[in-house]
Amino acid sequence: MAELRWSFSQIAPLTLRELFLVYQDALKNRWNFHATLLSEIHNNTVAAIRLHSKSKPKMSTPADFNPCFPKQNGTVEINAENFKVVGMQLGDRFFIAQRSGK
C-alpha cells in the first residue's frame, strides 16, 4: 500500500478482499491516465501522417491501450459483485492445470 501512500492505521481495519479491490481500482485509474496519454500521442502521430501522405492510419481510443479495459473477446473484469465466482473459476482452472501437468 506504499504506492497509495497509506499508513498502517489506514489499512489495518481492511480485509484482504477490500485491500485487493482498493489496489485494483488504483491500478485501473493509473492505467486510464497512461492509456489516455498514449492515445493522444498516437492520434497526433496519425494526424501528422494523414497530412503528409496518402495513407490513412486508424485513430485510437484510450481503450485500445488499456489492458484493464474489458475486452469483447470473453475476458471478465473482476469486481465486487463477481469476486467470489471468478475466484472459484480461477481456482478450478489452476487445479485442472496442476493435474494435467501444464
Side-chain angles (χ1 to χ4, degrees):
M1 299 317 287
E3 293 178 10
L4 298 176
R5 296 187 179 113
W6 284 15
S7 66
F8 180 75
S9 62
Q10 291 173 308
I11 63 172
L14 299 176
T15 64
L16 183 59
R17 179 177 181 227
E18 291 168 334
L19 288 172
F20 174 74
L21 291 174
V22 166
Y23 179 74
Q24 186 181 26
D25 189 49
L27 185 65
K28 237 189 269 187
N29 287 334
R30 190 174 300 130
W31 266 111
N32 285 336
F33 175 75
H34 289 109
T36 303
L37 287 176
L38 289 170
S39 176
E40 288 294 323
I41 292 168
H42 179 266
N43 289 338
N44 288 335
T45 305
V46 167
I49 291 171
R50 285 183 175 185
L51 282 175
H52 300 293
S53 72
K54 292 183 181 181
S55 80
K56 300 288 182 193
K58 187 179 108 176
M59 300 294 264
S60 67
T61 63
D64 296 333
F65 295 97
N66 193 343
C68 297
F69 191 77
K71 304 283 189 263
Q72 299 300 325
N73 61 359
T75 59
V76 177
E77 179 181 351
I78 299 174
N79 56 32
E81 289 79 33
N82 67 0
F83 183 80
K84 188 174 183 180
V85 174
V86 172
M88 286 191 289
Q89 290 173 349
L90 288 173
D92 292 343
R93 288 186 201 152
F94 176 74
F95 290 122
I96 290 170
Q98 288 290 344
R99 280 189 235 134
S100 66
K102 292 182 181 178

